[in-house]
Amino acid sequence: MEKTWRWFGKKDKITLDMLRQIGVEGIVTALHDVPNGEIWTEEAINDLKTYIESYGLRWSVVESLPVCEAIKYAGPEREQLIENYKVSLANLGKCGVKTVCYNFMPVIDWIRTDLQHPWADGTSSLYFDRVRFAYFDLRILGREGAEKDYSAEELAKVAELDKTITEAEKDDLIDTIIVKTQGFVNGNIKEGDKNPVNIFKKLLALYKGIDRDMLRENMRYFLAAIMPVCEEYGVNMCVHPDDPPFQVLGLPRIVTNEADIAWFLNAVDNPHNGLTFCAGSLSAGEHNDTRELAKKFAKRTHFVHLRSTAAMPGGNFIESSHLTGRGHLIDLIRIFEKENPKLPMRVDHGRMMLGDEDKGYNPGYSFHGRMLALAQVEGMMAVVQDEINN
């Protein structure tokens, strides 16, 4: 598999020189300065592609060409936004950038309640605490009908937390759940926005009455509309699984398990309609076995995120070492090297380590932590290659 790295453009503190020196082959990036829904021009794409290539690297994957909310909830501007998306895809294809990772999660992308949960060795990683998330939902957001989404035991724990939680902790939950994790790349809410909770409530309201079946139909409609462009220019679309892979905040989530993946692949049965196999997102749900999913969907996978999570009691989960957790990364490497060996893959997240303070400026995206993870994955790949050769 091709070793790639998510890079956030020319302003990224992690430079292309640094990435070339640690063995990265391909770059995963986007035109982060282009507002959501606007067309990516050939000129802008070629400018960034040429810059990347000047360092001896390849622009391997677009992550992400965002799918606007109005496409997901079928707003009145959907048709124009899809037309713009098709033009951007065509321009990417003309420029030779052929893989596009995207997501179809309503309103909120990946969710964590702690961006720097400490480990005993002094490193830290991303963490999801279900009770604290429930507290945000019930007591900060005040979502109507939220109580029915939680067990009696969880509601009791939220009530206990309410007796001790500080205002600073409440502010940190807001910042973590709906600002930092959403706003650092083309998000609906950005740092500096006033009243982020009110903004978030308005976004949630856009999906009132939208259930799983409707969201599925909107995804099918979008994919059916863009596939002719993908076929003409050889562009592969690969949706990222929902993170975490279960329903949240009353919003439908439709890429959470084997049945969901099979549904969208069959709904628009085209080889350019594929999956981003994110082992971390999928392993965060105890209902998913990443090895079985990889075996089933390897041929329709266009991009792999190699990261792992560890499930904990009460529905909590934490970003684990790439050598441990429920991701089973060496088994996944065995499967993908056998079934689809030319895939781009990138190590994802990992631990924040000493020296990352001035480099890992995006939530969960360290430098030294990801560099260690890359070395671990390279070791796994070497083991698998020896197995194949022998």
Side-chain angles (χ1 to χ4, degrees), residues 334-352:
R334 288 189 179 105
I335 293 164
F336 286 117
E337 285 289 355
K338 178 182 178 183
E339 299 293 336
N340 201 347
K342 296 187 182 298
L343 282 174
M345 73 82 187
R346 72 172 176 89
V347 296
D348 208 353
H349 298 318
R351 307 249 186 120
M352 297 290 284

Side-chain angles (χ1 to χ4, degrees), residues 215-251:
L215 188 63
R216 275 183 163 185
E217 172 54 25
N218 294 343
M219 184 181 188
R220 186 208 62 77
Y221 184 92
F222 166 71
L223 288 170
I226 65 172
M227 279 301 112
V229 176
C230 292
E231 288 184 332
E232 182 177 357
Y233 294 99
V235 175
N236 289 327
M237 296 292 294
C238 42
V239 71
H240 191 288
D242 298 337
D243 187 3
F246 45 77
Q247 312 308 303
V248 294
L249 301 172
L251 296 166

